[in-house]
Amino acid sequence: MAIIKCPECGRQISDKAPTCPSCGVEIAGKITKCPNCGEVYFSNLEMCPNCHELNPSLTRMTPQAGMNQQVPANQAPSMAQQQETENADKQNAIRQEEMRRQEMLRQQTRPQAPVRTATPPTPPVPPVRPQQTHSQNGGNGEGTQEKKKSNRGVIIISLIFAFLVCGIFYYFYDSANKNKELEAYEYAMQSSDPMVLQSYLDTYKDADEAHRDSIMAHLELLKQTDQDWTNAVVSGSKEALQAYLDKYPNSPHKQEVLNKIDSIDWNVAKNADNVEAYQAYLAAHADGSHIEEAENAMKKAKSRDLQPEEKDMISSLFRHFFQSINTRDADGLQASCEDILSSLLGKNSATKADVVTFMNKLYKDDVTNLNWFLTNDYQIKKREVGDEDYEYQVQFSAREEVQLTDGTKKTNHFKINATVSPDGKVSAFNMSKINAAE
C-alpha cells in the first residue's frame, strides 16, 4: 500500500482506498502511475497529464504489423491472424478515441493541470482550488504551507463570526434582561406590598443603582406606614386615626380608617342620645353606616327633648302675650292665641273674644297702670301629637305690678300653666295667685 495524491482533489489517500474520502471519486483499480514523471492519474487516460507520456496500460506489448517492426519469416502471421490483429487495432483505436473524448469532456468540466513543455505558454491564471495550487507549486511543502495559511484564515474568520454571534446573542439577552428588570421595577413601585419590593431587591441585585435606591426608599416608606397604622389601630382613638389619614391620604387602609371613625362617632352620638349629637353625626357622615339609625334616633329625641329653638319660641310667645296685655293691644293678644282655647281660666272652649275680656277685667276702675314681668323659670314638657308635630305643656311664674289711682302700688305673683299648640300659639291658659313668700 502506498500513499498517493487523489488525481481529482489532490488530497493524500491510500492507493488501495475504494474511493477518495474527500471527493468520492473511485481509486482502487482506476489509477496508474506515470513511469516517466511519477504522476498518478486515471488509468483510462491515454497519456500522463503532466509529461504527456503515453499510458503504458493502453499500449499493446506485441509489435504490430505496419509499425516498421521486422518480424521473422518463421513467425509471420497467417492471413487470419493478420485480419484479427487489424480488427483488434481498429477496436483499440476506437476505444482510445472514446477515451480521448471522455478526457476532453472531463477537462472541460474542471480546471486542467499545467502541461510541462519545453517552452510552455503563459496561460491565464484561473481561480484554482487548494489542490491545484498545490500541484502548480510543484511540491508538497509549499502546498502544505498554503493549506495551513488557508486553514488559519478559515479559523480566524470562524472565530470572528463566533464572536459576532456571541455578541449579538449577548446584546439581545442583555436587552431582554433590562426590559424584564424595568417591568419588575415599575410594578414594584406601584405596589403597596412590602413582599413585592423585597422580591425585586433579592432578584435584581445588579440593577441600576437609582432603581434599587427608589425601591428601598419606597420599602422604608411602606414599613413606616405599616408601623403608623399599627399604632393608630392600637390607640383606637379618633384623633390617632384621623392623624394617620391626614398623613397618608392615599393609604390602602383609608376606607378602614373611615369606617372606624364612623363607628366611633356613632357611639358618641348614641351615648349622648340627643338631637344635637345625632345631627353632628349626620353632618360628619353623609354616607355613614348608621345614617338610618341616626335619623330614627334623632326623631325620637326630638319628640322627647325640648330643643333650644323650641324654648326660645315659647319664651317669645308668652313675652308677646303679656306685652299685649300691658299695652291693652287686643289684636296682638288675639294673634298669640288659637281660635279656640281648650281652657281659659277654667273655661273650656274659650274664644279669642274671651281672651280679650280677660285682659279688660285686669284693668279695673282704680287701676291707672299695669305691667307684667316674666321670671323665665319655664318648665316645659314636650309631647308629639302628630308626625313631627309637638305640643308643649308650660309652667312658669309671673309678677304683676299695678299702679292705683290713689298713688299706691300693688304687686301680685302668679303661677301660670299653659299649653302651646304645634302652630306656636297659646291653646290653653290658666293661672293661680301665690303669696310672695312662696
Side-chain angles (χ1 to χ4, degrees), residues 19-289:
T19 59
C20 175
S22 177
C23 63
V25 70
E26 295 183 4
I27 298 299
K30 302 294 183 178
I31 59 172
T32 187
K33 185 175 183 181
C34 178
N36 182 38
C37 66
E39 181 76 12
V40 176
Y41 58 94
F42 293 105
S43 58
N44 59 352
L45 297 181
E46 182 182 3
M47 62 183 67
C48 174
N50 186 36
C51 65
H52 300 284
E53 180 72 20
L54 291 178
N55 186 349
S57 62
L58 298 180
T59 304
R60 292 181 58 85
M61 298 303 298
T62 305
Q64 301 297 322
M67 296 184 66
N68 298 323
Q69 296 291 335
Q70 297 294 326
V71 180
N74 57 353
Q75 295 181 1
S78 63
M79 290 296 293
Q81 292 175 339
Q82 203 169 24
Q83 185 64 35
E84 183 179 352
T85 301
E86 290 177 359
N87 291 337
D89 290 340
K90 289 180 180 181
Q91 291 176 0
N92 188 32
I94 292 171
R95 185 167 56 254
Q96 291 180 358
E97 183 63 27
E98 181 64 24
M99 293 172 60
R100 187 181 297 108
R101 255 195 327 268
Q102 293 178 0
E103 179 62 20
M104 290 177 65
L105 290 174
R106 188 180 294 107
Q107 294 295 332
Q108 291 176 359
T109 57
R110 65 182 179 88
Q112 299 296 323
V115 180
R116 295 182 181 177
T117 58
T119 56
T122 305
V125 181
V128 294
R129 291 180 289 183
Q131 64 272 21
Q132 293 174 323
T133 304
H134 171 76
S135 299
Q136 290 172 353
N137 288 337
N140 292 337
E142 293 181 2
T144 302
Q145 292 178 358
E146 287 293 329
K147 188 180 298 183
K148 288 181 179 179
K149 290 181 181 179
S150 176
N151 290 340
R152 190 180 301 114
V154 171
I155 292 172
I156 293 173
I157 293 174
S158 300
L159 290 174
I160 293 173
F161 178 76
F163 280 123
L164 288 175
V165 171
C166 291
I168 293 172
F169 275 116
Y170 177 78
Y171 170 79
F172 284 108
Y173 173 78
D174 186 60
S175 298
N177 282 344
K178 287 182 178 179
N179 291 336
K180 186 176 180 181
E181 182 273 333
L182 181 59
E183 292 176 359
Y185 168 74
E186 293 175 349
Y187 176 76
M189 287 299 293
Q190 295 174 1
S191 175
S192 58
D193 186 354
M195 296 295 293
V196 174
L197 279 78
Q198 189 60 53
S199 175
Y200 172 89
L201 294 174
D202 294 340
T203 304
Y204 300 100
K205 296 182 178 179
D206 297 329
D208 183 75
E209 185 175 355
H211 284 189
R212 289 184 60 85
D213 289 345
S214 298
I215 292 294
M216 286 189 287
H218 187 35
L219 181 59
E220 288 300 320
L221 178 61
L222 288 180
K223 290 181 178 179
Q224 183 61 47
T225 303
D226 285 347
Q227 185 61 47
D228 291 344
W229 168 243
T230 301
N231 294 339
V233 172
V234 170
S235 171
S237 69
K238 178 181 176 180
E239 292 73 17
L241 291 168
Q242 188 62 54
Y244 173 85
L245 194 59
D246 293 340
K247 185 176 181 180
Y248 306 106
N250 298 319
S251 169
H253 302 293
K254 179 178 181 179
Q255 190 57 49
E256 190 174 354
V257 171
L258 294 176
N259 292 340
K260 288 181 177 295
I261 292 177
D262 177 82
S263 180
I264 291 173
D265 286 349
W266 168 242
N267 288 330
V268 170
K270 190 166 59 173
N271 291 334
D273 194 24
N274 56 50
V275 174
E276 292 80 3
Y278 293 127
Q279 285 178 335
Y281 171 81
L282 291 172
H285 304 278
D287 56 350
S289 302

